[in-house]
Amino acid sequence: MKKNNVRKETVQAKALAETGIDGLVAKINSELTLFLGEDGKPRDDFSKELLKTLNKYVCSSQTKILEKRSTGEFGSCIKKPDGDVKDKNDVVSDLRKLVTFESIGKSGSAKRILTSTIEIGAEAFPETMKYAIGTNIMSKTPKEGEGNLLLHGSSDIHGDIKVDGNLISYDHGTAAYKWEPSLLPRAYPSEHSTSSKLVLGKSMYKVVSKPSSNGSQSGYDNYIKKDNFNTSGFSLRTEPKDLFDEKLAPRIVKRDPTISPIGITDKKDLYYFDNKHGGQYLDITNSTVISGIDKPFSNLLPRRKGESSGKQTSLDDNLDFSMTNTNNFNKMAVKQSLTIVKGDHTFKDGLFVGSAPPQKNSQHNLTIGNKVQTDNPNSRDNIKLDGSIYVNGDVTIQGANLESNALMYVDGDVNIRFSSINGKKLNDGSTGTLIIFATGDIYIANNSVDRDEPSTIKGFFYSQKNFEMYGVGSNIRIEGGISASRIVLNAIRGKSSNGTYQSVAIQKNSPSRLQVIYDANLIENFLKLNKPEPIIRKIDPPLEKDRK
């Protein structure tokens, strides 16, 4: 009996010590969150407050005062508050610290001391960029499928998955709103991982009968907007292996959900400028074509200069412009729309599109490519982009062989069709990517239709609304990641030919026509391209490195 009591007290002492560490970490995070408030704080202020808060709990006679519980007592404190957190290039973060905690738990005659090393602070990049696929709930009352991930057919996902809402899976893909037999999706681990991980907010459902009638666009639209799946046609499941290929299913992990809004429109003031704020006019005689500009230290405002018989007749900057050949400038602001066609274009400190109010019955747009509808790369424009962009309107990438090292903030929708997107080779030997944050919908389709080789799109795509992508007739390989309020992936495996597809038996051993492969270099590329975030708005969940 005595041995049993000793064993019980030992277990209780350990539990109390763990309670001490977990409680102190939660208290520190709560204090830092309270400091940030609703509007956030400047980066430098947060860095100072982080150290101030941690130092408050450094081990001393005061912090070791024990708290009592029914099973015993515990006390916790910080042994080392300021360990460096470094990235893979050994750059030290000023927003995070590697903190060593110590906690003592006592129960009866048993005493247990635990130490734990935990990363605490904020990130300089959005948390959602850590996942291959991530859905987000930002509303207090989600509706129209907010937070849901719908996987139709057999897509391949390499990396971790975050679903704030429901996860829906179906062994059919859809094309032209017609359901085509396929297999369940497959989840592969990212590089240096042993399994794909799934962070799940709500529930998992398997579609067991067609969720909409073949050919019915309205039926399909109503289905993907569903919030309640406790109805006929859907089966509630508790194991990921029921929704994925059984041998390639993710492993559910627990993580506290964090709401991390990305202030897309907040970025506007970082990019906007005019002639009263450091801008100089770039006069283009009798033309709206920007070509062959080499002004790497200039902030330019393109303007058409009307001229006749050698005399100036007009000056107009409130026009749509196009950009071609080779251009290199520090910043540029275009008042209306811009079309970027063939050539190599660099804008060190940013390009702003749509700085004037939209003209009647129009809006500002950025178009990249010649807009041809063909999968023949020889018919598309070869374009290189290097820099960051703010678009006060929609973005269309069509008819482009794009090599990109670009970050876009888009206050509108994004459409990508009949294009390939690869990373631009940079002077330091690294490879760039395309990163898009949009307030509107993102839609990717009509790429490598009926072809066996996929169109490669190297990029990360974030939508505050919805993301939808097709790999049924199309054949697409995303190297990067996807994050949105609602994500719908439609896929099959094997060959496609004019609306006909291979049997399920053949598909089983064939490559998927829709692949999403997480790119571990995403965050590094984002930090290189992103203008420094002046405001810290949220605290990241603590990341435990070691406990013993």
Side-chain angles (χ1 to χ4, degrees):
M1 194 72 175
K2 187 175 181 180
K3 286 184 178 180
N4 288 339
N5 284 337
V6 170
R7 189 178 300 113
K8 182 180 178 181
E9 289 174 352
T10 300
V11 171
Q12 289 174 340
K14 181 183 177 184
L16 287 164
E18 289 177 339
T19 298
I21 290 176
D22 295 341
L24 183 53
V25 170
K27 186 176 183 180
I28 290 169
N29 264 20
S30 177
E31 290 181 13
L32 291 173
T33 300
L34 188 64
F35 169 76
L36 291 180
E38 292 186 1
D39 299 324
K41 293 287 191 224
R43 184 185 184 114
D44 287 347
D45 289 357
F46 175 78
S47 181
K48 292 174 184 176
E49 185 67 19
L50 175 61
L51 282 175
K52 178 182 172 183
T53 302
L54 294 175
N55 283 324
K56 192 163 64 172
Y57 296 102
V58 168
C59 295
S60 67
S61 57
Q62 285 297 108
T63 57
K64 284 188 177 180
I65 295 174
L66 300 183
E67 296 184 38
K68 297 186 182 297
R69 292 289 187 272
S70 60
T71 57
E73 54 189 11
F74 63 87
S76 52
C77 58
I78 294 174
K79 288 185 68 176
K80 182 175 173 55
D82 55 357
D84 288 339
V85 175
K86 299 179 180 180
D87 64 17
K88 66 180 185 180
N89 295 317
D90 280 341
V91 176
V92 177
S93 170
D94 61 335
L95 300 177
R96 296 181 71 79
K97 291 298 176 184
L98 196 61
V99 184
T100 301
F101 292 85
E102 181 178 89
S103 183
I104 301 172
K106 292 181 179 180
S107 180
S109 61
K111 176 181 176 182
R112 185 69 186 271
I113 299 176
L114 288 182
T115 60
S116 180
T117 304
I118 298 175
E119 278 189 28
I120 287 184
E123 292 283 16
F125 59 87
E127 194 228 354
T128 192
M129 293 188 77
K130 297 176 181 178
Y131 301 94
I133 303 282
T135 62
N136 312 299
I137 291 179
M138 308 302 294
S139 306
K140 292 182 179 178
T141 55
K143 59 183 180 180
E144 295 192 344
E146 182 179 357
N148 291 345
L149 171 61
L150 298 96
L151 301 177
H152 301 145
S154 192
S155 54
D156 281 354
I157 301 170
H158 296 249
D160 296 337
I161 303 167
K162 178 178 79 77
V163 184
D164 279 359
N166 297 305
L167 173 59
I168 315 300
S169 178
Y170 189 30
D171 59 3
H172 286 58
T174 186
Y177 308 108
K178 179 184 177 184
W179 294 103
E180 302 291 346
S182 185
L183 298 150
L184 293 172
R186 299 176 181 178
Y188 297 85
S190 57
E191 192 177 2
H192 306 307
S193 295
T194 56
S195 65
S196 173
K197 292 181 282 294
L198 169 63
V199 179
L200 182 64
K202 293 185 179 179
S203 300
M204 296 183 289
Y205 296 88
K206 187 174 183 179
V207 181
V208 294
S209 63
K210 287 181 182 178
S212 62
S213 301
N214 279 342
S216 172
Q217 180 178 350
S218 61
Y220 175 81
D221 288 344
N222 289 334
Y223 152 62
I224 64 174
K225 292 177 182 178
K226 280 178 71 74
D227 295 305
N228 178 20
F229 293 91
N230 290 314
T231 59
S232 62
F234 303 92
S235 175
L236 177 66
R237 302 299 175 95
T238 57
E239 295 292 336
K241 64 182 178 63
D242 295 334
L243 276 75
F244 290 81
D245 183 311
E246 186 173 355
K247 296 179 181 178
L248 290 165
R251 173 173 56 89
I252 290 182
V253 296
K254 290 185 178 181
R255 185 167 186 188
D256 292 335
T258 59
I259 296 176
S260 52
I262 296 171
I264 294 171
T265 54
D266 293 347
K267 301 289 185 179
K268 183 175 181 178
D269 290 341
L270 296 175
Y271 290 84
Y272 174 81
F273 68 97
D274 56 23
N275 63 315
K276 296 178 182 179
H277 299 88
Q280 64 182 82
Y281 285 110
L282 172 67
D283 289 335
I284 307 169
T285 303
N286 295 330
S287 177
T288 56
V289 179
I290 302 164
S291 175
I293 305 302
D294 187 20
K295 293 180 177 287
F297 304 106
S298 299
N299 301 337
L300 303 175
L301 304 163
R303 181 170 65 174
R304 184 184 186 279
K305 178 182 178 183
E307 193 172 284
S308 179
S309 302
K311 294 184 179 180
Q312 178 180 309
T313 58
S314 64
L315 292 170
D316 194 351
D317 60 348
N318 202 30
L319 299 168
D320 295 342
F321 283 84
S322 63
M323 188 180 292
T324 188
N325 297 321
T326 300
N327 297 282
N328 182 18
F329 47 87
N330 186 52
K331 295 175 72 173
M332 180 174 284
V334 178
K335 279 192 171 182
Q336 296 295 327
S337 293
L338 176 67
T339 298
I340 299 177
V341 291
K342 62 183 180 181
D344 191 339
H345 313 284
T346 300
F347 22 93
K348 181 183 175 184
D349 275 348
L351 169 66
F352 192 105
V353 177
S355 57
Q359 296 172 339
K360 189 176 181 180
N361 299 323
S362 71
Q363 64 181 38
H364 307 312
N365 295 314
L366 172 63
T367 301
I368 299 171
N370 58 23
K371 298 201 76 173
V372 298
Q373 297 185 23
T374 178
D375 281 314
N376 181 357
N378 295 324
S379 298
R380 304 192 296 231
D381 280 349
N382 296 321
I383 301 170
K384 293 182 180 181
L385 293 181
D386 198 329
S388 54
I389 305 170
Y390 187 96
V391 183
N392 204 18
D394 295 341
V395 170
T396 298
I397 302 175
Q398 182 170 319
N401 300 316
L402 179 61
E403 292 183 31
S404 172
N405 180 49
L407 168 64
M408 294 187 191
Y409 292 100
V410 182
D411 190 9
D413 297 334
V414 176
N415 274 275
I416 301 174
R417 301 171 184 265
F418 301 105
S419 296
S420 66
I421 301 174
N422 288 293
K424 182 180 179 182
K425 302 297 182 185
L426 306 179
N427 292 334
D428 62 3
S430 62
T431 301
T433 190
L434 174 64
I435 299 172
I436 296 180
F437 296 99
T439 61
D441 296 332
I442 298 179
Y443 188 84
I444 301 178
N446 303 114
N447 295 281
S448 290
V449 175
D450 289 346
R451 294 190 172 222
D452 293 340
E453 291 299 318
S455 290
T456 297
I457 297 179
K458 189 173 178 62
F460 177 83
F461 303 93
Y462 172 94
S463 167
Q464 286 183 350
K465 291 186 178 178
N466 306 307
F467 179 100
E468 191 163 6
M469 184 164 66
Y470 285 80
V472 181
S474 295
N475 196 348
I476 301 175
R477 174 188 171 100
I478 296 261
E479 295 180 0
I482 301 166
S483 179
S485 173
R486 184 184 71 223
I487 295 175
V488 183
L489 302 183
N490 287 294
I492 64 163
R493 309 185 81 85
K495 295 180 180 294
S496 163
S497 178
N498 197 28
T500 60
Y501 311 99
Q502 294 180 303
S503 68
V504 172
I506 294 176
Q507 285 190 47
K508 188 172 184 179
N509 297 309
S510 300
S512 176
R513 299 184 70 84
L514 194 162
Q515 304 171 60
V516 180
I517 301 167
Y518 181 72
D519 180 4
N521 294 318
L522 263 179
I523 292 170
E524 181 181 350
N525 288 334
F526 171 78
L527 293 174
K528 286 180 181 177
L529 288 163
N530 190 44
K531 290 176 180 289
E533 176 62 68
I535 299 296
I536 302 302
R537 301 181 185 277
K538 71 177 185 71
I539 304 301
D540 273 8
L543 180 61
E544 186 167 71
K545 295 292 189 179
D546 183 48
R547 179 172 290 196
K548 57 187 178 180

